[in-house]
Amino acid sequence: LAKTTQPISMDSYEGQEVNITCSHNNIATNDYITWYQQFPSQGPRFIIQGYKTKVTNEVASLFIPADRKSSTLSLPRVSLSDTAVYYCLVGENTDKLIFGTGTRLQVFP
Amino acid sequence: SQTIHQWPATLVQPVGSPLSLECTVEGTSNPNLYWYRQAAGRGLQLLFYSVGIGQISSEVPQNLSASRPQDRQFILSSKKLLLSDSGFYLCAWSGDRQGPGELFFGEGSRLTVL
């Protein structure tokens, strides 16, 4: 299973764009990259998923370079409610998905 | 639409007492079901997952067990709790119609063992 590495924490201010990068040097050919968001005392919530290039939805964008050894979650114009822990996961399916400690994003007014 | 419920939401148990956490999924059939545990300030640890009734895979050896008596019911149990069993327990499901990495989590059960 591919291991992921992401920053422990990040700070931002309301209205700014936040980019969280995750490295996964050992990603396998069939692996997808998935990002989750978790608020305190709640279960993680799926944000976005991709295999290569760029994926965008109403919440975020996911940028994946050609070698797929890293990925960047981009949150446009963050608000205070985006303060949460963000997890990057890599895997072929939902079996045995490994959640690391994630990136704790703090948004300030 | 699909929903997932788990209970109880919080519980405080003495060391050595039994445990039973329940999770049910509605609105889908034959889901894959998971139990995760999150210790304070830590990431999620996969404990068990099930691809069907009576089919349980254990990821971490411990004094916990899981059962799936019905298609959409997943139960986490222990005969004798340890202090180290304290944590936030999360049930999750996934299905064939969702993406390969898409899990849906319940509200969580916070267990404190004293």
Side-chain angles (χ1 to χ4, degrees), chain B:
Chain B
S1 62
Q2 302 90 355
T3 57
I4 179 170
H5 299 289
Q6 58 178 113
W7 68 92
T10 60
L11 66 165
V12 179
Q13 296 285 100
V15 170
S17 65
L19 171 73
S20 180
L21 301 178
E22 295 194 32
C23 171
T24 59
V25 180
E26 298 176 357
T28 187
S29 59
N30 196 32
N32 295 332
L33 297 173
Y34 309 82
W35 278 111
Y36 282 86
R37 176 172 62 195
Q38 186 171 35
R42 307 290 295 275
L44 280 73
Q45 178 186 35
L46 178 61
L47 301 176
F48 302 94
Y49 72 94
S50 170
V51 298
I53 296 175
Q55 301 178 61
I56 310 293
S57 295
S58 175
E59 291 301 303
V60 181
Q62 64 235 315
N63 66 320
L64 300 173
S65 62
S67 62
R68 184 170 177 173
Q70 300 180 40
D71 180 45
R72 291 170 290 174
Q73 183 184 26
F74 207 22
I75 298 172
L76 182 69
S77 304
S78 174
K79 294 182 178 179
K80 290 185 177 181
L81 284 169
L82 306 173
L83 287 174
S84 58
D85 291 324
S86 292
F88 190 46
Y89 288 81
L90 288 157
C91 181
W93 74 273
S94 67
D96 293 338
R97 295 184 180 181
Q98 285 70 39
E102 193 167 358
L103 285 170
F104 298 90
F105 286 85
E107 309 94 334
S109 299
R110 187 165 300 282
L111 169 66
T112 302
V113 181
L114 301 176

Side-chain angles (χ1 to χ4, degrees), chain A residues 76-98:
Chain A
R77 298 179 299 281
V78 295
S79 64
L80 295 176
S81 61
D82 292 316
T83 293
V85 178
Y86 292 83
Y87 298 95
C88 164
L89 292 86
V90 172
E92 183 175 346
N93 50 47
T94 50
D95 293 349
K96 302 184 180 182
L97 280 182
I98 298 175

